[in-house]
């Protein structure tokens, strides 16, 4: 009678520790990627000033109260309003810079801007920004 012995005498080990190592490496790579793409303050200021400019254009430069007979004048005024806002982009950025605090967590940042009695929080991660709905200052106390 012939008996074949297995060539590999190693016993299989639990793959739990192998999986934990893979997960740890994946998390480290994710954290490194987030750290490298964590947006800087100047990127936030550019984003926030653009967002504020669009918001002001939609609220301040609208023509809903002007009669249709003055539509030519209205178009000129709206264009002028938008031009004024665009030309003041640096001023808007400086205002935001003075009213914003940054909490840098390395992998993401939270920017808190206080404007008009409201607190705006924006999360910056992976090179992008997400602005949360504004909160009144009194609601935070």
């Amino acid at each position: 009678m012939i008996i074949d012995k297995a060539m590999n005498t190693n016993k299989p080990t639990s793959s739990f520790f192998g999986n934990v190592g893979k997960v740890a490496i994946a998390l480290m790579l994710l954290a490194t990627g987030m750290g490298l793409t964590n947006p800087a303050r100047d990127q936030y200021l550019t984003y926030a000033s653009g967002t504020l400019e669009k918001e002001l254009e939609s609220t301040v430069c609208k023509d809903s109260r002007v009669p249709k007979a003055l539509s030519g004048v209205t178009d000129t005024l709206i264009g002028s309003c938008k031009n004024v806002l665009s030309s003041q982009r640096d001023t808007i950025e400086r205002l935001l810079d003075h009213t914003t605090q940054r909490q840098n967590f390395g992998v993401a940042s939270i920017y808190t801007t206080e404007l008009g009695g409201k607190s705006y929080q924006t999360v910056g991660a992976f090179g992008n920004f997400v602005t949360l709905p504004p909160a009144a200052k009194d609601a935070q106390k």
Side-chain angles (χ1 to χ4, degrees), residues 46-97:
T46 301
Y47 161 80
S49 65
T51 303
L52 183 57
E53 183 180 337
K54 288 177 188 172
E55 182 69 27
L56 289 173
E57 281 180 9
S58 68
T59 57
V60 176
C61 299
K62 65 182 179 179
D63 63 337
S64 62
R65 296 183 188 173
V66 179
K68 289 187 178 188
L70 299 174
S71 64
V73 175
T74 305
D75 293 342
T76 304
L77 291 175
I78 291 172
S80 297
C81 179
K82 290 179 180 181
N83 288 340
V84 167
L85 288 175
S86 293
S87 69
Q88 295 303 312
R89 186 83 178 253
D90 290 338
T91 305
I92 293 171
E93 280 190 24
R94 283 196 300 275
L95 169 70
L96 292 170
D97 192 27

Side-chain angles (χ1 to χ4, degrees), residues 24-45:
I25 290 171
L27 288 175
M28 286 175 40
L29 290 173
L30 178 66
T32 301
M34 289 180 74
L36 294 173
T37 59
N38 185 7
R41 186 178 183 91
D42 60 338
Q43 291 172 311
Y44 168 75
L45 294 174

